[in-house]
């Protein structure tokens, strides 16, 4: 199955009040692990990569592997470039075959965010590539983007409405109290703010910082209009810990097939738990095939 735009799957998810998980993948192996989990549960899924992963693996290589995995598992798959501030990298990803890109200009004033997002929209929209943008500032660390807790800012509903109208952007990630990485305490999610934003913005909303948020909180976010739920840290931690435990138990077991099998099992288990969390199991429909 060819890689598809994330726009129709997210629009359907918002309308039907379920979510789609977007998993950050950091290796070619993890692309296959995520899609095996999605295939087992018959769920649409989004693979996403940071700019750092693009630089490490190469945009064209990532696209080719993602296509091969999607063909193998025959599952609706979107490929998304996450949190990119560099227009040249966005162009590289689109040319390589990414079906969705995020322009993150949230650190700039509102007017400049609008201008930068509009520039990406001009390039991507005619090619059928979905565009995601962010308003407010999500705290934590995402690759080389660092937002301290005291600098995090929640999105303003009226600005969200104006932003979508001015840019035509088709997916919006408003800051609502989550953070990238694993939380030190319980995240302080502003559910009322999500509801207000969803009331004035018709496009699918994105929950950034989805790792380690309690399942019931994620489900509530999804019910309010968060159609895309990003998961990164929990996934990579799961398979990295499995590899570490392998060597702690048997330091001389150096066959990659042995420790990568354990990493695969941990990744698939984690991915399935997230897919079930957002109720996207058995959501593959003929319109996606």
């Amino acid at each position: 199955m060819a890689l598809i735009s994330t726009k129709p799957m997210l629009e359907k998810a918002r309308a039907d009040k379920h979510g789609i998980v977007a998993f950050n993948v950091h290796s070619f192996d993890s692309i296959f692990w995520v899609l095996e989990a999605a295939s087992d549960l018959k769920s649409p899924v989004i693979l996403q990569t940071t700019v750092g992963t693009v630089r490490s693996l190469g945009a064209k290589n990532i696209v080719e592997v993602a296509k091969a995995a999607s063909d193998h598992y025959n599952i609706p798959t979107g490929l998304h470039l996450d949190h990119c501030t560099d227009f040249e990298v966005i162009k590289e990803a689109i040319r390589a075959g990414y079906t969705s890109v995020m322009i993150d200009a949230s650190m700039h004033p509102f007017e400049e965010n609008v201008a930068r997002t509009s520039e990406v929209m001009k390039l991507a929209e005619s090619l059928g590539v979905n565009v995601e943008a962010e308003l407010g500032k999500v705290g934590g660390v995402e690759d080389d983007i660092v937002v301290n807790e005291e600098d995090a800012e929640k999105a303003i509903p009226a600005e969200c409405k104006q932003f979508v109208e001015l840019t035509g952007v088709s997916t919006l990630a408003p800051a609502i109290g989550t953070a990238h990485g694993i939380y030190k305490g319980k995240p302080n999610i502003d559910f009322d703010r999500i509801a207000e934003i969803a009331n004035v913005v018709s496009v699918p909303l994105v929950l950034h910082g989805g790792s380690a948020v309690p399942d019931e909180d994620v489900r509530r976010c999804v019910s309010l209009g968060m159609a895309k739920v990003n998961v990164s840290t929990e996934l990579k931690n799961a398979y990295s810990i499995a590899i570490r435990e392998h060597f702690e138990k048997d330091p001389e077991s150096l066959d990659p097939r042995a420790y990568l099998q354990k990493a695969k099992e941990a990744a698939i288990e984690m991915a399935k738990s997230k897919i079930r969390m957002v109720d996207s199991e058995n959501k593959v429909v003929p319109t996606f095939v």
Side-chain angles (χ1 to χ4, degrees), residues 190-254:
D190 192 336
F191 296 106
D192 290 341
R193 189 177 298 264
I194 298 173
E196 288 181 47
I197 294 170
N199 189 49
V200 297
V201 171
S202 61
V203 301
L205 303 178
V206 182
L207 180 67
H208 279 246
S211 285
V213 175
D215 287 6
E216 62 271 20
D217 287 352
V218 173
R219 292 190 185 103
R220 187 174 175 189
C221 289
V222 169
S223 73
L224 292 171
M226 293 281 187
K228 177 172 177 271
V229 176
N230 289 4
V231 173
S232 175
T233 305
E234 274 187 294
L235 181 68
K236 68 182 178 182
N237 283 4
Y239 62 74
S240 296
I241 288 169
I243 294 172
R244 184 178 67 194
E245 290 177 347
H246 168 88
F247 286 110
E248 286 175 347
K249 293 177 181 176
D250 192 353
E252 300 306 315
S253 178
L254 303 178

Side-chain angles (χ1 to χ4, degrees), residues 72-84:
H72 179 75
Y73 291 108
N74 194 33
I75 206 75
T77 308
L79 180 58
H80 176 73
L81 175 66
D82 198 23
H83 279 286
C84 188

Side-chain angles (χ1 to χ4, degrees), residues 8-113:
M9 68 165 73
L10 292 175
E11 288 177 341
K12 178 170 177 55
R14 173 164 178 173
D16 293 347
K17 295 189 181 299
H18 68 83
I20 302 291
V21 187
F23 293 100
N24 276 67
V25 291
H26 301 85
S27 68
F28 296 133
D29 286 331
S30 59
I31 290 174
F32 280 87
W33 299 340
V34 166
L35 288 191
E36 182 170 335
S39 177
D40 285 349
L41 297 186
K42 297 180 174 58
S43 170
V45 72
I46 298 171
L47 301 168
Q48 59 185 29
T49 64
T50 64
V51 173
T53 301
V54 170
R55 289 172 179 158
S56 173
L57 301 179
K60 289 183 179 179
N61 296 331
I62 293 168
V63 169
E64 290 306 310
V65 173
K67 283 181 178 177
S70 181
D71 286 342
H72 179 75
Y73 291 108
N74 194 33
I75 206 75
T77 308
L79 180 58
H80 176 73
L81 175 66
D82 198 23
H83 279 286
C84 188
T85 61
D86 188 333
F87 189 65
E88 293 304 314
V89 176
I90 288 174
K91 287 197 294 184
E92 177 189 357
I94 291 174
R95 287 169 179 159
Y98 274 65
T99 62
S100 179
V101 294
M102 178 184 183
I103 169 64
D104 186 357
S106 59
M107 69 291 298
H108 298 292
F110 181 83
E111 293 76 12
E112 187 169 352
N113 192 349

